Amino acid sequence: RYFDDCFELALEEPTSASVMNLAGDLESMVNNQQFSDVCFEVEGRTVYAHRFILFARCDYFRRMFTSGYRESTDASVKINDVSHDVFLCVLSFLYTGKPRDVSPEMAIEVLGAANLYSIDALKRICAEIITRSLCVENVASILHAADTYELPTLRTQCLHYMVCHFGEVVKTEAFRELVSKETRDLVLTFLAEASARLTLTKPVEAE
């Protein structure tokens, strides 16, 4: 008798439109003081956030809030090594699941933050943005970033591009900086691949 008045509840699969609406609604909560229960001090500026969203979306913040250290209870947490704009990009992604529009140059900074916070999905998105901007002047520095942040696909693309434009790339300031850094193995990998490619494409001399 207890179940005489029960009825069937049918749930529809979420549509792309409803997902986008949810993302848009959550975007408005990024750096929103309303109902905020934690704030971050970034470059001397306050960024408001909500623990339950960060806890649900990111292992880094989940560990921060459950560690038992000061950050787990403090209402304000100081953030170092990440700029204010980049930190907002990271929060926006955690809230909405989609990246903000960023330039290729800023994407490299966001990539570093995504690596710091172990947000692999954001790392992949940044890598895609960066890939579309490869050019002679920046490919060496992007190669270094790809190697540092363990992005093998981007690393391979950079090496291929550098080999194809060998003569131009080695004259750039970015390549000189790459050689001057502690990247000996990376430079040797590039030179070995370039040497192999040049050997394969060397014309056969007529007898």
Side-chain angles (χ1 to χ4, degrees):
R1 294 180 56 83
Y2 294 106
F3 299 100
D4 286 350
D5 296 326
C6 286
F7 57 90
E8 182 179 352
L9 178 64
L11 298 177
E12 296 181 356
E13 289 292 329
T15 64
S16 58
S18 64
V19 172
M20 291 300 294
N21 288 338
L22 176 60
D25 292 340
L26 288 175
E27 175 73 24
S28 67
M29 297 304 294
V30 176
N31 197 21
N32 190 328
Q33 190 173 2
Q34 189 172 27
F35 302 118
S36 169
D37 56 359
V38 64
C39 61
F40 298 94
E41 296 300 323
V42 191
E43 294 187 324
R45 301 163 69 178
T46 300
V47 176
Y48 298 97
H50 307 81
R51 290 177 188 268
F52 78 96
I53 293 179
L54 301 185
F55 177 90
R57 294 279 290 148
C58 180
D59 285 340
Y60 179 94
F61 289 109
R62 188 177 302 123
R63 291 193 299 269
M64 174 185 288
F65 297 145
T66 59
S67 65
Y69 293 110
R70 285 183 52 188
E71 291 84 357
S72 64
T73 56
D74 282 358
S76 179
V77 178
K78 186 174 179 59
I79 297 294
N80 299 309
D81 303 322
V82 177
S83 73
H84 178 265
D85 289 343
V86 167
F87 191 71
L88 285 180
C89 285
V90 171
L91 282 192
S92 179
F93 181 80
L94 292 178
Y95 275 62
T96 68
K98 58 187 182 70
R100 288 184 171 180
D101 291 332
V102 296
S103 66
E105 292 76 20
M106 188 172 182
I108 296 178
E109 295 184 57
V110 177
L111 172 61
N115 184 74
L116 174 65
Y117 298 131
S118 302
I119 310 173
D120 290 339
L122 184 56
K123 285 175 64 175
R124 290 192 295 269
I125 292 171
C126 289
E128 292 173 4
I129 295 172
I130 294 167
T131 298
R132 295 194 292 269
S133 73
L134 285 179
C135 67
V136 167
E137 295 298 327
N138 67 16
V139 67
S141 59
I142 292 175
L143 172 64
H144 183 244
D147 189 66
T148 300
Y149 301 134
E150 299 179 345
L151 293 166
T153 300
L154 180 59
R155 185 179 185 274
T156 298
Q157 291 169 328
C158 288
L159 286 171
H160 176 75
Y161 189 98
M162 291 173 72
V163 169
C164 293
H165 301 83
F166 181 86
E168 298 169 277
V169 169
V170 295
K171 297 176 184 177
T172 64
E173 180 64 28
F175 185 78
R176 286 192 288 271
E177 291 180 0
L178 181 68
V179 173
S180 66
K181 294 176 181 177
E182 296 179 1
T183 53
R184 180 175 178 273
D185 291 342
L186 184 59
V187 174
L188 289 177
T189 297
F190 160 62
L191 292 177
E193 186 166 331
S195 176
R197 184 75 62 85
L198 292 172
T199 299
L200 289 174
T201 57
K202 183 178 179 181
V204 178
E205 296 180 2
E207 295 182 359

